[in-house]
């Protein structure tokens, strides 16, 4: 009964945030620099390098729209390649911060997390050593093991696994055993066309893992991939994205610009009626299956129905 009650409270808070367009999560791509050579991402091919100014981040954290409860996510490229990476991370001391790493610069990541007291770290791993090297273009497996070993008792570590055409269900089984061995968490998402990354491969027809992971997100993927599931997008009401050039964008899947932090404050952009209209116009987008976005969408459609709260009329399942 307590679990049901806790879920109801969480959903109530999420509903309230969506209604008020109150930011809950804020990914910040502080640089597009990267030394990886991933098949799932082409950001490393970009010749023009961008690093967001530290002053822009300072102003952002002082904005009235940015509450203490916001989950901040610092990523890239490889965020560790930003010339003022340490100074930027230091601005978030005491806040709910997650760092995303490809595991290449292990020494720098380990020292940064320890010295700045970072609460959450996500590290990419897309299969066993050979598969991971093939997808990433760089052999990072031993670095990932070292990061886990040296930080698991200091911070919360999660492995990020991406289902793609370059790995298999056996690779996922390997990673599931891997995280079980080290007693850390695992997040499993699906490859998606993300313009910022230059991702161009087909996103449909990826292997199903619902027999390995029991969740709506994974069990419903085949329906969505085959055009049989239309899901409203609630995450765009609470999860904008900041890019390395200062652009605020609608979400991580689409390069829909809302404004730029070098020209206007976050609050001015977020509360602009033009922003509200853009968000409403993309409410029924249904164009991706990114776990960073779709899980909250599922939370406001399927879970409430199970709890007997309500069922959104815009969801159409065949």
């Amino acid at each position: 009964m307590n679990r049901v009650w806790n879920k109801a409270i969480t959903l109530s808070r999420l509903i309230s945030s969506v209604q008020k367009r109150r930011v809950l999560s804020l990914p910040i791509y502080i640089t597009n620099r990267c030394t990886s050579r991933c098949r799932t991402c082409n950001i490393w091919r970009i010749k023009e390098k961008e690093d967001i100014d530290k002053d822009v981040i300072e102003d952002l954290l002082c904005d009235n729209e940015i509450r203490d409860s916001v989950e901040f996510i610092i990523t890239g490229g490889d965020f560790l390649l930003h010339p003022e990476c340490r100074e930027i991370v230091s601005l978030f001391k005491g806040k709910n911060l997650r760092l995303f790493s490809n595991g290449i610069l292990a020494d720098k990541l380990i020292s940064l997390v320890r010295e700045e007291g970072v609460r959450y770290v996500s590290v990419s791993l897309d299969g066993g050593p050979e598969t991971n090297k093939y997808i990433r273009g760089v052999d990072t497996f031993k670095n990932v093991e070292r990061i886990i070993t040296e930080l698991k008792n200091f911070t919360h570590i999660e492995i990020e696994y991406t289902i793609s055409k370059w790995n298999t269900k056996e690779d996922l089984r390997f990673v599931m055993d891997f995280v079980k061995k080290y007693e850390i968490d695992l997040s499993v998402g699906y490859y998606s066309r993300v313009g910022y990354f230059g991702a161009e491969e087909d996103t449909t027809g990826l292997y199903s893992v619902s027999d390995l992971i029991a969740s709506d997100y994974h069990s419903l993927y085949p329906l969505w991939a085959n055009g049989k599931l239309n899901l409203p997008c609630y995450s765009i009401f609470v999860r904008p994205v900041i890019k390395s050039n200062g652009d605020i964008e609608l979400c991580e899947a689409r390069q829909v610009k809302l404004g730029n932090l070098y020209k206007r404050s976050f609050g001015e952009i977020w509360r602009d009626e033009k922003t509200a209209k853009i968000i409403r116009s993309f409410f029924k987008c249904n164009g991706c299956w990114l776990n960073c976005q779709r899980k909250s969408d599922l939370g406001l459609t399927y879970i409430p129905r199970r709890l007997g709260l309500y069922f959104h009329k815009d969801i159409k399942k065949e």
Side-chain angles (χ1 to χ4, degrees), residues 23 33 136 166 169 273 285:
V23 177
R33 299 173 187 269
R136 294 275 150 186
W166 298 284
K169 195 178 292 188
E273 181 55 30
C285 171

Side-chain angles (χ1 to χ4, degrees), residues 229-284:
L229 177 64
N230 295 318
L231 196 65
C233 187
Y234 292 100
S235 62
I236 55 177
F237 290 82
V238 296
R239 196 178 193 275
V241 178
I242 297 175
K243 295 299 177 62
S244 51
N245 64 354
D247 281 349
I248 298 178
E249 294 185 351
L250 179 72
C251 64
E252 291 189 279
R254 291 180 175 271
Q255 289 182 294
V256 177
K257 182 177 176 179
L258 305 178
N260 186 280
L261 291 176
Y262 288 99
K263 298 178 180 179
R264 301 171 71 196
S265 72
F266 181 89
E268 289 174 326
I269 296 169
W270 188 242
R271 288 301 161 190
D272 194 309
E273 181 55 30
K274 290 182 180 179
T275 294
K277 288 181 179 178
I278 291 172
I279 290 174
R280 289 194 295 267
S281 70
F282 280 93
F283 176 57
K284 296 182 181 180

Side-chain angles (χ1 to χ4, degrees), residues 89-238:
V89 171
S90 184
L91 296 174
F92 293 85
K93 188 166 288 186
K95 297 185 182 297
N96 185 15
L97 174 64
R98 180 182 294 273
L99 300 179
F100 268 75
S101 173
N102 56 24
I104 293 176
L105 300 176
D107 289 339
K108 195 170 183 178
L109 177 67
I110 291 168
S111 65
L112 182 64
V113 170
R114 284 183 171 275
E115 291 172 17
E116 299 299 333
V118 178
R119 298 178 183 178
Y120 301 95
V121 175
S122 292
V123 185
S124 299
L125 184 64
D126 288 328
E130 290 304 315
T131 299
N132 187 65
K133 181 180 178 180
Y134 178 74
I135 293 175
R136 294 275 150 186
V138 180
D139 189 358
T140 62
F141 187 77
K142 289 184 178 179
N143 278 10
V144 172
E145 282 194 305
R146 182 168 162 242
I147 290 167
I148 294 169
T149 302
E150 297 196 26
L151 290 180
K152 64 172 292 190
N153 294 324
F154 187 83
T155 188
H156 183 99
I157 298 181
E158 184 173 73
I159 290 296
E160 295 285 330
Y161 178 94
T162 300
I163 296 169
S164 72
K165 72 174 188 177
W166 298 284
N167 55 21
T168 67
K169 195 178 292 188
E170 288 305 311
D171 287 303
L172 177 56
R173 288 193 178 96
F174 175 91
V175 174
M176 291 177 74
D177 289 338
F178 179 84
V179 298
K180 184 177 180 181
K181 171 185 173 182
Y182 286 103
E183 299 180 317
I184 58 176
D185 290 336
L186 172 65
S187 176
V188 179
Y190 291 86
Y191 171 86
S192 187
R193 283 198 186 105
V194 178
Y196 183 67
F197 296 142
E200 301 171 346
E201 297 292 336
D202 185 18
T203 61
T204 60
L206 301 178
Y207 54 92
S208 173
V209 298
S210 57
D211 57 328
L212 298 179
I213 305 174
S215 74
D216 287 332
Y217 174 71
H218 294 100
S219 64
L220 293 173
Y221 165 75
L223 284 175
W224 173 82
N226 289 299
K228 297 181 178 181
L229 177 64
N230 295 318
L231 196 65
C233 187
Y234 292 100
S235 62
I236 55 177
F237 290 82
V238 296

Side-chain angles (χ1 to χ4, degrees), residues 49-62:
K49 303 308 178 185
E50 296 173 340
D51 306 300
I52 199 165
D53 289 347
K54 181 171 70 73
D55 292 346
V56 171
I57 302 298
E58 286 184 292
D59 291 342
L60 172 72
L61 294 178
C62 294

Side-chain angles (χ1 to χ4, degrees), residues 3-13 15 303 307 309:
R3 290 183 62 186
V4 173
W5 179 248
N6 288 337
K7 282 186 177 181
I9 292 174
T10 300
L11 284 168
S12 177
R13 290 173 178 169
I15 291 168
I303 295 176
L307 298 178
L309 298 177

